[in-house]
Amino acid sequence: MNRREPVLLAAAGALLLAGCTGGVPTDEGTVSLPGASASGRSSGSPSPSATPANEPLTLAESVAPKTRSAAADFVRGLTVRPDYFGSGYRRRDPYETGPATWTVLGDDCIWRRESLAPTVLASLTRAFVRPAAGGKGPAYLSLTVTVHASVVAARRDMAVSLEEPLRCPTQQLTATERVQHMASRGDPFTEQRTATSDDNLTEFGEYVADGDGTPRRFDWFKHRLGPVTVAATVRHAPGGTEEEKTAVTEQALAGVGYVTADIDRLGRQAQGTQAPSGEAKGAQVPSGDAEGAGDE
């Protein structure tokens, strides 16, 4: 087993437990799906996700956005708070990229922002930073929600992502940044390795910036809920112990779980389904203010 895999498996286990302990906030930033309330918001206090305990979080294709306009509204409407990913994060400038473009890894192993593929309806990336403190440098995190035209298209995108580290173990992010020694693994729900999506994958390696000879840990997660994918990247801060870095990874995974739980809730609300009493599951959102907590 790769020396990084025990850490990632432990983090996934922590997220699995978090996925069975409560609900997500529903009174800020949510969006309407067919069958949802007119405002796209549920009434009352935050409530658990309506997902039966033995099912993964998902989004039925029948209630997913069908047009690029609806998909853009969907990704913009999802609440993504900085403190989902741990304390100290704030919005980075620029904060949002998309939703009419998405990132593509070229045949030359260089990442580029391009126009959406015909099978993609919208893709929005939100960027966060945890500023340098306590003798440690800054950590960077991004979260991308992509709406595909169908479940088949989303599954194909997951397969492509899983194979990319094999094709490009070294990938150029920008003119001065790259990731190297990349590896990946996939975890379909049928193998009972995740409760937060239909299937998910993890990539990990090292992040290197020109002028900084010290490689930093790099994590990348991608979860699929029906035709929607939710991906997060973490460029760890230089310095810190392995325990501290593992905590950052676990918190990032939990943040992905908060977003997937809200997507699942919206979909089940649109379908009018309810979880059996005592069997609802979701992700317990950190306490704090409304969206923007941790921002300046």
Side-chain angles (χ1 to χ4, degrees):
M1 180 178 284
N2 186 290
R3 63 185 178 87
R4 291 286 306 284
E5 287 190 3
V7 172
L8 293 166
L9 290 174
L15 183 56
L16 176 61
L17 292 175
C20 301
T21 59
V24 298
T26 60
D27 53 2
E28 289 292 336
T30 53
V31 297
S32 295
L33 289 175
S37 64
S39 66
R41 301 173 181 177
S42 66
S43 61
S45 59
S47 59
S49 166
T51 307
N54 294 324
E55 296 180 11
L57 300 184
T58 191
L59 178 67
E61 185 172 315
S62 61
V63 297
K66 300 297 190 297
T67 67
R68 288 193 163 169
S69 175
D73 289 343
F74 178 83
V75 294
R76 288 195 184 281
L78 288 170
T79 299
V80 183
R81 285 170 22 185
D83 64 344
Y84 278 8
F85 310 103
S87 62
Y89 282 98
R90 63 190 60 172
R91 293 181 178 183
R92 192 180 180 193
D93 187 23
Y95 171 55
E96 291 186 344
T97 307
T101 60
W102 70 331
T103 54
V104 177
L105 184 63
D107 293 337
D108 54 2
C109 299
I110 297 175
W111 285 96
R112 297 179 178 86
R113 197 87 191 176
E114 298 183 354
S115 298
L116 298 176
T119 57
V120 178
L121 301 179
S123 184
L124 183 67
T125 297
R126 292 178 169 100
F128 304 92
V129 58
R130 190 182 66 185
K136 303 179 184 66
Y140 299 100
L141 185 146
S142 66
L143 184 129
T144 301
V145 180
T146 301
V147 181
H148 299 265
S150 66
V151 170
V152 170
R155 293 181 66 181
R156 287 174 177 167
D157 181 61
M158 293 289 289
V160 169
S161 295
L162 187 63
E163 295 172 353
E164 283 173 343
L166 297 176
R167 177 168 67 87
C168 296
T170 297
Q171 303 169 12
Q172 198 73 29
L173 303 179
T174 69
T176 60
E177 301 171 296
R178 68 183 182 280
V179 290
Q180 61 189 20
H181 307 307
M182 294 296 293
S184 64
R185 58 170 290 150
D187 296 322
F189 178 77
T190 52
E191 296 182 13
Q192 297 183 351
R193 292 174 181 169
T194 179
T196 58
S197 61
D198 292 306
D199 59 79
N200 74 327
L201 61 88
T202 303
E203 295 184 16
F204 45 91
E206 296 177 340
Y207 164 76
V208 180
D210 289 354
D212 183 356
T214 304
R216 308 173 194 176
R217 182 158 145 181
F218 180 84
D219 297 322
W220 189 81
F221 316 106
K222 191 168 187 176
H223 291 210
R224 181 182 65 81
L225 294 90
V228 175
T229 58
V230 180
T233 63
V234 184
R235 288 179 280 170
H236 287 254
T241 65
E242 286 303 311
E243 289 76 14
E244 289 171 332
K245 294 174 183 176
T246 297
V248 170
T249 297
E250 291 176 348
Q251 291 169 340
L253 268 169
V256 173
Y258 301 146
V259 178
T260 61
D262 202 33
I263 293 172
D264 173 270
R265 180 194 60 77
L266 287 169
R268 294 184 189 277
Q269 176 181 318
Q271 290 181 297
T273 58
Q274 297 294 327
S277 177
E279 293 188 1
K281 72 179 179 182
Q284 187 64 48
V285 169
S287 59
D289 299 326
E291 181 179 5
D295 292 347
E296 284 190 334

